[in-house]
Amino acid sequence: MAIALLSFVTTACAPSQARTAEQRTFLNLSLDFIGEYQLPKMKYKDTPVGGLSALAYDRKRNKFYTLSDDRSQFAPARFYTLGLSLKRSDKGEIGLEKVDIEDVTFITDENGKTYAKGSLDPEGIALSPKDTVFISSEGIPSQGIAPFIREFDLKTGQHKQDLLIPDRYLPNNSTKEEQPPRGIQDNLGFESLTLEPGSLGAASGDPFRLFTATESALFQDRPHE
């Protein structure tokens, strides 16, 4: 399992300068690969560390949170807290020296119980300014399990709220001609999750935007066979 470190550079105009629609849409951004760290095969507090599908940075605490995509098969659904150590070479270049797993947090449902085996497919994680994390699940449409985006307490993993998912993303598992299959496809749902840039600097009660995307077309949007 590898964790890569990238540096992010953006060139922005001063607020007083007018920008064209093209400049606002196509920002001058770049990424530089700095290095990677290979996590050894290991267990942490009786959980196998692996399948790390998403990463969120906590600037206030200088920690990272990474989500396991384990469907509660090998251990209850969870995310880990990571500490990263950086090093500077003789040439002054910054690299990734070590990644330490510092904690594991099990997420719970609205009844305060950890998720049952095979009841979700966690993929995306985003840290909010409310000291909570949002987590997306692709669901398992073939088993009638809908995708979700839910908010959890950062420290305890306790369920806080569900975000409303439009019906067009939800499976109906119908084979009737008048109700063709609808919603996300298996393992092609809400893979990503992120907050609008600048949202983490907002006050805890201020609104913010959350973004996700599906990996592929919905059932109803596929080309007709």
Side-chain angles (χ1 to χ4, degrees):
M1 188 63 58
I3 292 180
L5 183 64
L6 303 169
S7 67
F8 177 76
V9 178
T10 176
T11 302
C13 300
S16 59
Q17 292 179 305
R19 291 188 293 167
T20 66
E22 184 176 359
Q23 288 173 325
R24 291 195 300 270
T25 304
F26 302 101
L27 300 179
N28 185 13
L29 307 175
S30 66
L31 286 173
D32 292 324
F33 177 76
I34 293 178
E36 66 176 2
Y37 181 82
Q38 296 284 341
L39 287 172
K41 185 176 181 180
M42 61 182 296
K43 283 194 171 186
Y44 181 83
K45 293 186 177 180
D46 296 325
T47 69
V49 178
L52 306 181
S53 65
L55 200 62
Y57 178 56
D58 186 341
R59 180 179 297 180
K60 182 169 63 175
R61 299 174 179 86
N62 193 27
K63 302 295 179 185
F64 283 85
Y65 307 109
T66 184
L67 180 70
S68 172
D69 68 358
D70 181 5
R71 298 182 178 185
S72 284
Q73 292 179 321
F74 303 103
R78 60 204 179 275
F79 65 89
Y80 297 94
T81 302
L82 305 179
L84 272 65
S85 301
L86 303 179
K87 63 180 179 181
R88 188 179 294 274
S89 69
D90 296 337
K91 297 180 180 180
E93 298 174 344
I94 297 177
L96 186 55
E97 182 177 27
K98 189 179 180 183
V99 176
D100 292 309
I101 299 177
E102 299 181 350
D103 202 3
V104 60
T105 304
F106 299 102
I107 59 174
T108 59
D109 61 20
E110 58 272 19
N111 298 314
K113 299 182 180 298
T114 55
Y115 283 85
K117 183 177 181 179
S119 63
L120 78 170
D121 185 4
E123 293 292 353
I125 187 170
L127 177 68
S128 87
K130 302 188 297 179
D131 276 347
T132 62
V133 290
F134 286 88
I135 289 176
S136 63
S137 168
E138 292 188 297
I140 310 174
S142 60
Q143 300 178 26
I145 299 175
F148 68 68
I149 299 175
R150 292 174 179 166
E151 184 181 16
F152 301 89
D153 185 88
L154 178 62
K155 292 184 179 180
T156 66
Q158 180 181 359
H159 174 272
K160 303 288 287 185
Q161 67 167 324
D162 283 29
L163 299 190
L164 182 63
I165 305 297
D167 287 344
R168 61 181 175 273
Y169 294 98
L170 304 179
N172 59 9
N173 296 316
S174 175
T175 57
K176 296 181 180 180
E177 186 68 25
E178 63 272 17
Q179 285 188 323
R182 180 197 69 195
I184 62 169
Q185 302 181 63
D186 262 340
N187 208 33
L188 295 172
F190 298 143
E191 182 78 16
S192 59
L193 198 62
T194 189
L195 264 69
E196 179 184 26
S199 293
L200 287 177
S204 61
D206 289 348
F208 52 86
R209 289 181 176 178
L210 190 68
F211 294 87
T212 188
T214 59
E215 283 190 85
S216 185
L218 304 178
F219 267 112
Q220 62 268 32
D221 296 331
R222 297 184 304 171
H224 294 293
E225 298 178 355

